[in-house]
Amino acid sequence: MNTPIRRLSVFSMILFAALMVQLTYIQGFQAEAIRDDPLNARQYTERLSEQRGPIVIGDENVASSTNISEEGDPARYQREYVGGSMYTPVVGSFRRFGASGIEYTENALLDGSDDRLAVRNFRDIITGREPEGARIELTIDPAVQEAGYRGFEALGKNGSAVALDPSTGAILGSVSYPSYDGNDVSSITDVTEANENYVALENDPNQPLLNRALRERYPPGSTFKIVTAAAAIEHLDAGPDSTMDAPDVLELGHSLPNATPGGTCNGGQPDTLAHSIQISCNTSMANWAIEMGGEALADQASAFGFSKTPDERDTLTVPMDVVPSLAPVEDDRNILGRAGIGQSNVEATPLQMAMVAAGVANSGEVMHPYLVDSVRDADRSVVTQTTPEIHSQAMSASTASTLTDMMVLVTGPDGSGTNGAIRGIDVAGKTGTAETGGENGTHNWFIGFAPADDPQVAVAVVIEHGGGSGGELAAPIARQMMEAVVQ
């Protein structure tokens, strides 16, 4: 054999060997990752002949599968949803070409392919029973979810609301408005219409596909003053009666005024920390942030769950991924002062601000939020049961108690959040109005928990570009969600 032919033969053998190695690697080691890749539509289309497990809220199957095939024909299961668009941001939708929400994150359990169901599946094969996917039971309280959703529906503005059980982290409500009806995009008998509906949702400027509770960041405005106050107590040994300069206007590159009645906090004199929280004084809280420094403020925010950098390694899962909230270390005095009142580079998801309220309510401990309470097989035997876990220790119990007392003043007669008050029950709250720039109007916030002396629910509500105040627009929705638990 001459040299050129020998070289070509060796090169061809190397190519064949490389091809065999690549095929072996893909089929042996990457098969599961490829199967579960969100761009692989076959994982959804191939499951239409299998009975998918239900998703349960309260005692109701809010997502279930029905065999729509004619008698004698192979089974074809149509996914069906109840509740209209109220539950969709949480439950998601299972479509011919994709899935979202719990339908996506718990797909292997719902379709029965998860290894934790292997024993059950083997029993079904032996007994001849038709395999079924697992039953996913969520933590959502239907009354809380409906109270939040109907509040946004009546207001007619975009936004989000989250309610937590502060002692466990269970998500009792997760509202994103506007939303969509999963039935409109999941038909397997009219695939063209379902796809057209989904494309229309993708192109809708109101972004009904966006889960605002978990995937959208907003400037938290004055609700972040709770974080600043916690840092002042923890790092500067401040107390409710500690005072800070509270001019009517503070120069931070651009003038920072107060949004209090008359534009003043204490007649231009130094104001106490408690009163500054009660009436939401901008200038004193900005000065507290400047006094403690950017590192201390960012550390305190981080203790609540914020990230100092937009690093996806800090992503929280509930089990859907939650975009990290941001509170970077600020060195510039002007930026730091505005960060202390929830502006400049501070951004938060509604879930994160609910975690702030819940951390105060739970004596300083922030619990890891979660949506899946339990997973059961077709015989209702428990496959998994969520055990509450501590996410972080945000502050001492004494600091949390001090903050609670100050937040109760917010919903009292002279506070900024009287619309968050519940008759006969002490409510801890904090209003927020966040500048957004341009002509779209402010975002309006309310965070809080109730009862203040025995917290059962913590909430955060944000109204996008409401143009009013948190006490006016967000507090009533928060109150209704809290009332669904405590009354």
Side-chain angles (χ1 to χ4, degrees):
M1 182 183 296
N2 61 35
T3 299
I5 294 176
R6 185 169 60 252
R7 289 175 178 171
L8 180 60
S9 300
V10 171
F11 181 67
S12 298
M13 291 176 64
I14 292 173
L15 289 179
F16 275 114
L19 180 61
M20 291 175 64
V21 169
Q22 177 70 2
L23 287 173
T24 301
Y25 175 69
I26 290 175
Q27 294 181 351
F29 298 97
Q30 284 194 310
E32 184 175 350
I34 292 173
R35 183 196 67 193
D36 295 336
D37 191 291
L39 297 179
N40 177 18
R42 290 187 64 186
Q43 64 181 310
Y44 307 110
T45 57
E46 290 182 352
R47 297 299 181 186
L48 298 179
S49 61
E50 300 174 358
Q51 188 168 356
R52 192 172 178 82
I55 299 174
V56 183
I57 291 178
D59 295 324
E60 184 175 25
N61 291 352
V62 296
S64 58
S65 295
T66 300
N67 186 359
I68 61 171
S69 65
E70 298 291 338
E71 186 175 352
D73 291 343
R76 296 177 69 218
Y77 286 97
Q78 171 66 59
R79 203 62 167 162
E80 296 176 346
Y81 301 95
V82 302
S85 56
M86 183 166 62
Y87 294 124
T88 310
V90 173
V91 172
S93 58
F94 185 80
R95 310 179 306 280
R96 191 176 182 88
F97 300 108
S100 62
I102 292 295
E103 290 276 32
Y104 170 69
T105 62
E106 307 305 285
N107 183 55
L109 285 163
L110 288 164
D111 68 23
S113 62
D114 192 281
D115 290 342
R116 287 168 288 184
L117 299 174
V119 173
R120 170 74 212 186
N121 291 338
F122 179 72
R123 279 207 318 261
D124 287 344
I125 292 173
I126 296 300
T127 61
R129 176 176 174 174
E130 184 179 354
E132 296 179 38
R135 171 188 176 94
I136 309 296
E137 299 179 341
L138 303 186
T139 59
I140 295 294
D141 183 322
V144 176
Q145 185 77 6
E146 183 169 6
Y149 185 82
R150 299 305 176 203
F152 275 97
E153 200 172 45
L155 187 63
K157 292 185 180 294
N158 298 353
S160 176
V162 176
L164 300 174
D165 180 334
S167 65
T168 66
I171 299 175
L172 304 178
S174 182
V175 176
S176 181
Y177 190 88
S179 180
Y180 68 101
D181 189 335
N183 295 303
D184 294 337
V185 299
S186 60
S187 174
I188 63 174
T189 57
D190 196 338
V191 178
T192 299
E193 182 181 2
N195 288 344
E196 288 175 349
N197 289 341
Y198 193 81
V199 170
L201 292 169
E202 287 182 312
N203 295 327
D204 189 328
N206 286 313
Q207 297 181 283
L209 295 176
L210 174 64
N211 188 329
R212 289 166 161 82
L214 311 181
R215 301 297 302 173
E216 184 71 307
R217 289 191 293 244
Y218 306 88
S222 293
T223 58
F224 190 78
K225 291 174 183 175
I226 298 303
V227 178
T228 304
I233 298 169
E234 294 274 300
H235 294 272
L236 297 177
D237 200 27
D241 296 326
S242 300
T243 59
M244 179 58 69
D245 290 343
D248 292 345
V249 177
L250 182 64
E251 290 301 326
L252 294 175
H254 298 287
S255 297
L256 174 67
N258 287 310
T260 53
T264 190
C265 298
N266 189 31
Q269 299 302 308
D271 197 21
T272 65
L273 184 58
H275 190 249
S276 294
I277 292 296
Q278 179 182 9
I279 65 171
S280 201
C281 182
N282 286 337
T283 58
S284 62
M285 297 307 298
N287 276 327
W288 276 114
I290 294 169
E291 177 74 14
M292 74 184 67
E295 193 72 45
L297 183 61
D299 284 347
Q300 185 61 66
S302 180
F304 277 106
F306 284 78
S307 297
K308 294 181 181 179
T309 60
D311 193 335
E312 289 298 326
R313 287 178 299 180
D314 295 328
T315 296
L316 178 71
T317 58
V318 296
M320 292 94 84
D321 288 345
V322 182
V323 65
S325 297
L326 302 177
V329 178
E330 303 291 2
D331 298 319
D332 184 278
R333 172 185 179 275
N334 297 335
I335 298 175
L336 175 57
R338 294 182 185 276
I341 63 169
Q343 297 282 174
S344 67
N345 298 315
V346 179
E347 295 182 330
T349 62
L351 174 62
Q352 175 61 74
M353 294 315 298
M355 291 168 65
V356 170
V360 179
N362 197 42
S363 299
E365 285 185 348
V366 180
M367 302 302 289
H368 188 100
Y370 62 96
L371 270 168
V372 177
D373 179 59
S374 62
V375 177
R376 298 175 183 270
D377 65 18
D379 288 336
R380 304 292 179 91
S381 298
V382 176
V383 178
T384 65
Q385 178 73 53
T386 300
T387 301
E389 297 178 355
I390 297 174
H391 181 71
S392 63
Q393 182 72 44
M395 68 202 116
S396 68
S398 62
T399 296
S401 178
T402 299
L403 286 173
T404 297
D405 292 341
M406 293 193 288
M407 292 173 69
V408 169
L409 298 175
V410 172
T411 62
D414 299 320
S416 63
T418 55
N419 284 329
I422 300 174
R423 184 183 298 273
I425 296 175
D426 281 340
V427 175
K430 183 67 192 80
T431 57
T433 301
E435 300 290 339
T436 61
E439 300 178 355
N440 290 325
T442 56
H443 294 324
N444 308 124
W445 285 86
F446 184 90
I447 66 171
F449 56 91
D453 59 351
D454 182 24
Q456 298 173 33
V457 58
V459 298
V461 177
V462 60
I463 310 297
E464 291 182 9
H465 305 299
S469 70
E472 173 194 0
L473 299 177
I477 296 176
R479 183 192 69 245
Q480 292 159 14
M481 295 178 75
M482 291 187 287
E483 286 176 335
V485 176
V486 302
Q487 289 190 335

